[in-house]
Structures are given as C-alpha cells and as structure tokens.
Amino acid sequence: MRLSDAPLIDQARIARRVEELGAQLREDFQGAPLTVAVLLKGAAWFAADLLRHLPHDTRVEFMRAQSYAGTASTGTVEFGLLPAAEAITGRDVLLVEDILDTGRTLHAARAQLQGLGAAKVKICVLLDKAAPRVEAITADYVGFRIDDEFVVGYGLDYNEEYRTLPAIYTLSINPH
Ligand code: 5GP
Ligand code: MG
C-alpha cells in the first residue's frame, strides 16, 4: 500500500474550485430555499467548505450510507441516518457526496430524498471518477474529474484512515 508522494489535487486547487462551485450554486439556486444533504462521512469535509459559500437560509442535513469495504464496492447500499422529512419535503435539495464511482450510493440516496418528497434533487460531487457506472447517475456539479484510481484525503478514507489529509492523494494497494 503506497500513498502518492505529491497530492493528486492540492489544497489550493481544492479551495479555488470549492469557491467557484459556491458561486455557481448561489446563482443557480437564487430565491429558492435550499437544503444541502451531506453524505457522511466522506463528504463532510467538502460540504463544510462549500457551505461557507452558500446563503444563510440554507439548511443542512446529514445522511449516512455504506456501500464500500476496503477498495471494492460491495453492491448494496444501506442507510444508517436519514434527513428530517420536514427539511426535505417540498424543498430544493442539493445532495453532496465526496466521489461518484459506480453510482450506487448516489442512486440510492437520491431515491431516499425523492421518497421524502423533495421538490428537486441536484447532485454535487467533489470528484467524478472515470469508472464504469452500475447506476445511471450524472452529477450536476463536479469539482474535479479523475481517472479510475483509488484516492484518499480531504474526507476520503481507506478503511477509515487517511481522512485527515488536507489534500487528495492516490493510494496504490498493490505496488510493483
Ligand atoms: P459508488 O456508490 O458510486 O460506487 O461509490 C461511492 C462511494 O464509494 C463513495 O462514497 C466512497 O465512499 C467510495 N469510493 C469510491 N471510490 C473511492 C475512492 O477512490 N476512494 C475512496 N476513499 N472512496 C471511494
Ligand atoms: Mg462514502
């Protein structure tokens, strides 16, 4: 297992992109009361930075999904925490996730929000991975598009470690 020496995406690039996304979101959701639904744990770091750029009537809810063991997707998505229905019903919702890979997590999370009666669900991901999708999911807002590599840092983990790295690194599991 080997962490890349240099970050794939450094702190300054992340901060600049988060600011740009914030500006775009403020414009796109002007006048409509917005709820941001954050997928724990990985998206908490990205969301905390992004939320600093959003209007103060923005509501924040958390969801917890788990579909991953190690570096291989297990194929099932379970929810351990869901948003309060009154924060979702009839409102525009921005679903915030760390990374889009097979699409299973976002597909299941969006279905939960639609089930709670969201008026509209848009998806914002920090990273969009060039990996085969299992579910047809397209993110409306993307921080960075990356190759099909395993990345850690800025909230993203490998077996619950590496989340605290301030930038995004690649992790090779079987170095040769
Ligand atoms: P999906 O459901 O789209 O296959 O996967 C999304 C979830 O898988 C993310 O929330 C994240 O937890 C995990 N994941 C996918 N790719 C990576 C990666 O490169 N690094 C890390 N740390 N997690 C990933
Ligand atoms: Mg995750």
Side-chain angles (χ1 to χ4, degrees):
M1 209 161 60
R2 193 180 138 75
L3 194 67
S4 57
D5 294 329
L8 177 67
I9 307 169
D10 67 27
Q11 287 184 78
R13 269 187 82 197
I14 296 171
R16 276 199 305 274
R17 188 69 189 116
V18 167
E19 197 176 330
E20 285 172 6
L21 285 172
Q24 199 184 336
L25 289 165
R26 283 199 306 276
E27 203 176 298
D28 293 357
F29 289 92
Q30 247 174 52
L34 179 66
T35 296
V36 171
V38 183
L39 273 158
L40 296 176
K41 300 176 189 172
W45 285 250
F46 171 43
D49 287 343
L50 186 63
L51 283 161
R52 290 174 224 275
H53 299 281
L54 298 186
H56 30 248
D57 60 356
T58 305
R59 295 190 58 163
V60 186
E61 292 288 320
F62 296 97
M63 309 173 72
R64 177 97 160 97
Q66 234 161 352
S67 69
Y68 241 68
T71 59
S73 186
T74 59
T76 53
V77 181
E78 282 166 24
F79 288 86
L81 173 68
L82 286 170
E86 54 94 23
I88 303 299
T89 310
R91 292 176 63 98
D92 286 355
V93 179
L94 183 71
L95 177 54
V96 176
E97 171 62 318
D98 50 10
I99 187 164
L100 172 55
D101 184 6
T102 67
R104 282 193 187 104
T105 306
L106 282 167
H107 187 262
R110 184 176 62 187
Q112 293 287 339
L113 295 170
Q114 285 165 340
L116 290 169
K120 175 162 100 181
V121 181
K122 295 285 182 181
I123 293 174
C124 176
V125 295
L126 175 66
L127 304 172
D128 185 346
K129 199 191 263 202
R133 300 275 189 265
V134 172
E135 298 287 353
I137 285 281
T138 311
D140 302 287
Y141 302 89
V142 174
F144 304 94
R145 295 183 199 282
I146 63 165
D147 293 339
D148 191 359
E149 297 177 295
F150 195 80
V151 292
V152 295
Y154 193 61
L156 289 139
D157 74 308
Y158 174 66
N159 289 342
E160 296 300 329
E161 295 184 359
Y162 301 103
R163 292 193 198 274
T164 59
L165 289 171
I168 295 162
Y169 293 78
T170 58
L171 189 73
S172 345
I173 310 300
N174 292 308
H176 291 290

